[in-house]
Amino acid sequence: MVSLTKATYSVLAEEAIAAFAASLEGSLIRPADAEYDKARKVWNGMIDRHPALIAQVATVGDVVAAVNFARENRMRLSVRGGGHNIAGHATNDGGLVIDLGARKQITVDPAARIARAAGGVTLGELDAATQRFGLAAALGVVSATGIAGLTLGGGFGWLSHKVGLAADNLIAAEVVTASGKVVRASEDANFDLLWGLRGGGGNFGIVTEFTYRLHPLGPDVAFTFVFHDTSSDERLAEAIRFYRDYAATAPDEVSSIMALGRIPPDEHHFPAELHRRPFALFAAMYAGAVDDGLKVMQPFFDFGEPLLNYGGVMPYVEAQQIFDPDYPDGMRYYWKSLNLMQLDENAIARMVEHARRMPSDLSTVDLWSIGGAIRRYGPDHSPYAGRSAAFLLNPEANWVEPEDDIANVSWVRNFIAAMEPFSDGGRYLNFAGFQEEGDVMMQKSFGANYARLAALKAKYDPSNLFSLNQNIKPATG
Ligand code: FAD
């Protein structure tokens, strides 16, 4: 009689793995392979995990095979789009990664103003394809980010006030569910699933194709990227007040971010006399006629004598890449966020205090204005529940040395704790640190939409196979 010893199990597992590898049109990478170290790494250098298997899928059939393999073998499962998730959910220790990064298919239908894009496409790739037709999808502001994680979490960018979040403009999707079925979700079929994908994260399956509504834009846009001195606390407070008041009355064409920081001591990009000078950066795009945009955004320049100005009229695809150099792969990052319901004098005083304590010259405190189309969509249009906030506050710690981890992570956590009284307690889940607060944070962030999401999770993924994400526990009973 043969007993199922550990050795026998390993042999069986080896055979199963070999059969799985042979079934794929893409590649299965294992720890002994030369490509393994590159394949396991994600954007955030704080994340250093060692999956047992990485399936670099080439086809939808590969995705189905990989989902079935993970489920049947009860493996911990990560899904990777662009690899830019801050918490590093796109990789894990000892489990399977389904990496869609090689799937780059994009089809643009200019007459219908829609684009279909595969799960491994990045923002820059989709922008380049849509701009050939004078169209754009609502996406984010750094071109290397994956459309997948960005859209499934919400997706703020330069078109948000005009047309809504990336998720608001997702009109259909092809999804491989936990049971290995390929399902189409749209306004007409499986609408419940489409609703869940518009901000409910990677909970409901693997999206192999996203279909976006597109909007006429460019090729040139009016773009603001102007730095003002904030050396004194009073000037820093004035900059925040100015931005609050400007955002309250700006037309929907303007989507904007204010970033507070210190000019990094980088002689290639910034004049030496400005190094470490505290700044407020106003970054904004006007989604409309260039001349109108220059006029409407003039107050950003008039706020004071600018320290630096990189804005003007530029191709939309260039504006979409302006932040790219600030976020190299492999640096150390910890970003968290909070829905700010208002910015009164007390909130501004706390922001000034905590912004000044930033340990790294590479970090910033970002304020994203929320309004226009984001708000008009209403609270149950999609899972994203931060539409009634005035601003999204996002202290982002960016640094280089591991010995500075504690100082940087603590700075963000203390900042967020100090600002909680001015918030509804919800976070934007694409900027949620390492999601240390678990279920409590999910419930606060999804608010009244949480129960509907939990029911949807029970329908599409009752055993929580897709758990490494902004995880929603399946409803019971
Ligand atoms: P990944 O790490 O590959 O995936 C993140 C998660 O999404 C996965 O763990 C999985 O749960 C899920 N997922 C990925 N692919 C799929 C798929 N095909 N099907 C199902 N689930 C999937 N956010 C904004 O809103 N606006 C911005 O301007 C913005 N800028 C950013 C700039 C940088 C430099 C970074 C690092 C992040 C930025 N973000 C922004 C946040 C960004 O939206 C999230 O980090 C997002 O998770 C990145 O998606 P990804 O596909 O690259 O990540």
Side-chain angles (χ1 to χ4, degrees):
M1 193 175 125
V2 180
S3 67
L4 196 65
T5 61
K6 193 163 179 243
T8 321
Y9 174 77
S10 311
V11 171
L12 286 175
E14 269 308 321
E15 284 170 359
I17 291 168
F20 173 42
S23 75
L24 296 176
E25 287 186 44
S27 321
L28 190 68
I29 313 280
R30 302 184 63 180
D33 294 334
E35 311 92 308
Y36 178 77
D37 228 31
K38 184 162 180 267
R40 77 179 177 86
K41 288 203 172 119
V42 290
W43 165 80
N44 190 351
M46 288 280 277
I47 311 295
D48 183 25
R49 298 190 187 131
H50 294 79
L53 300 171
I54 302 170
Q56 295 181 330
V57 294
T59 62
V60 175
D62 280 0
V63 177
V64 172
V67 166
N68 289 340
F69 186 81
R71 191 189 59 249
E72 286 158 12
N73 292 284
R74 296 169 185 266
M75 292 187 82
R76 183 190 293 263
L77 176 60
S78 289
V79 181
R80 179 178 180 135
H84 273 57
N85 180 257
I86 285 110
H89 287 316
T91 186
N92 64 55
D93 280 321
L96 172 67
V97 173
I98 301 182
D99 179 355
L100 287 97
R103 291 191 40 82
K104 297 290 191 190
Q105 300 79 352
I106 300 175
T107 320
V108 180
D109 179 342
R113 289 190 180 162
I114 59 170
R116 295 194 176 85
V121 168
T122 62
L123 272 55
E125 290 158 352
L126 186 53
D127 286 334
T130 55
Q131 275 290 281
R132 274 187 219 120
F133 302 96
L135 297 167
L139 297 170
V141 305
V142 175
S143 75
T145 318
I147 59 164
L150 179 117
T151 305
L152 295 170
F156 286 86
W158 301 127
L159 287 168
S160 300
H161 278 235
K162 178 82 175 152
V163 304
L165 305 178
D168 296 329
N169 289 275
L170 179 70
I171 55 172
E174 180 187 73
V175 184
V176 177
T177 65
S179 60
K181 285 207 188 81
V182 183
V183 173
R184 188 138 187 96
S186 71
E187 307 257 349
D188 304 319
N190 301 308
F191 176 70
D192 60 346
L193 180 55
L194 179 66
W195 180 85
L197 298 175
R198 286 173 169 167
N203 276 288
F204 308 108
I206 300 187
V207 181
T208 44
E209 185 186 83
F210 294 82
T211 305
Y212 296 97
R213 190 184 299 120
L214 302 179
H215 308 275
L217 190 79
D220 286 341
V221 291
F223 191 73
T224 298
F225 208 76
V226 61
F227 292 72
H228 290 280
D229 181 273
T230 54
S231 294
S232 75
D233 285 358
E234 186 42 40
R235 194 63 181 147
L236 180 48
E238 276 170 22
I240 300 170
R241 275 184 218 116
F242 162 80
Y243 181 61
R244 175 194 63 193
D245 298 343
Y246 177 90
T249 57
D252 288 358
E253 280 76 10
V254 179
S255 295
S256 62
I257 307 169
M258 180 176 75
L260 310 174
R262 295 191 295 270
I263 292 181
D266 172 354
E267 58 280 7
H268 300 300
H269 292 102
F270 304 107
E273 67 275 16
L274 295 183
H275 290 177
R276 298 212 162 84
R277 183 82 70 88
F279 68 79
L281 162 68
F282 300 123
M285 196 193 84
Y286 189 84
V290 164
D291 289 346
D292 294 345
L294 294 176
K295 268 189 228 125
V296 168
M297 297 193 297
Q298 185 63 30
F300 286 127
F301 297 88
D302 295 343
F303 173 70
E305 183 66 33
L307 286 178
L308 296 163
N309 176 19
Y310 298 116
V313 177
M314 64 179 75
Y316 173 64
V317 288
E318 204 177 294
Q320 281 286 76
Q321 294 167 19
I322 205 157
F323 280 117
D324 285 10
D326 297 341
Y327 303 109
D329 286 357
M331 219 166 78
R332 305 179 88 76
Y333 301 97
Y334 183 82
W335 302 359
K336 235 169 162 61
S337 65
L338 202 58
N339 298 331
L340 282 188
M341 307 315 283
Q342 43 98 348
L343 255 179
D344 64 12
E345 286 303 313
N346 288 333
I348 291 173
R350 280 205 199 173
M351 271 191 72
V352 170
E353 182 192 337
H354 285 270
R356 289 288 188 227
R357 293 184 191 161
M358 180 184 291
S360 166
D361 291 330
L362 303 175
S363 299
T364 55
V365 176
D366 305 338
L367 262 189
W368 300 65
S369 141
I370 294 180
I374 307 174
R375 195 164 291 154
R376 276 197 302 278
Y377 269 110
D380 58 0
H381 166 73
S382 77
Y384 171 66
R387 294 181 195 275
S388 58
F391 294 95
L392 180 72
L393 172 69
N394 168 215
E396 47 164 86
N398 311 319
W399 71 103
V400 176
E401 300 299 339
E403 59 263 32
D404 297 331
D405 287 359
I406 291 175
N408 282 281
V409 171
S410 305
W411 170 66
V412 173
R413 288 183 179 157
N414 291 336
F415 199 150
I416 290 290
M419 299 303 290
E420 290 276 358
F422 309 100
S423 84
D424 64 358
R427 312 212 186 294
Y428 171 46
L429 292 170
N430 272 342
F431 299 151
F434 296 157
Q435 300 182 8
E436 307 86 329
E437 305 91 328
D439 287 351
V440 173
M441 182 176 88
M442 297 305 154
Q443 288 178 17
K444 276 192 190 161
S445 300
F446 286 121
N449 291 324
Y450 188 84
R452 186 170 167 189
L453 287 164
L456 201 62
K457 180 77 173 174
K459 177 174 172 187
Y460 285 100
D461 184 18
S463 66
N464 205 3
L465 177 68
F466 302 110
S467 66
L468 293 176
N469 47 39
Q470 294 108 316
N471 198 235
I472 296 157
K473 300 284 179 297
T476 51

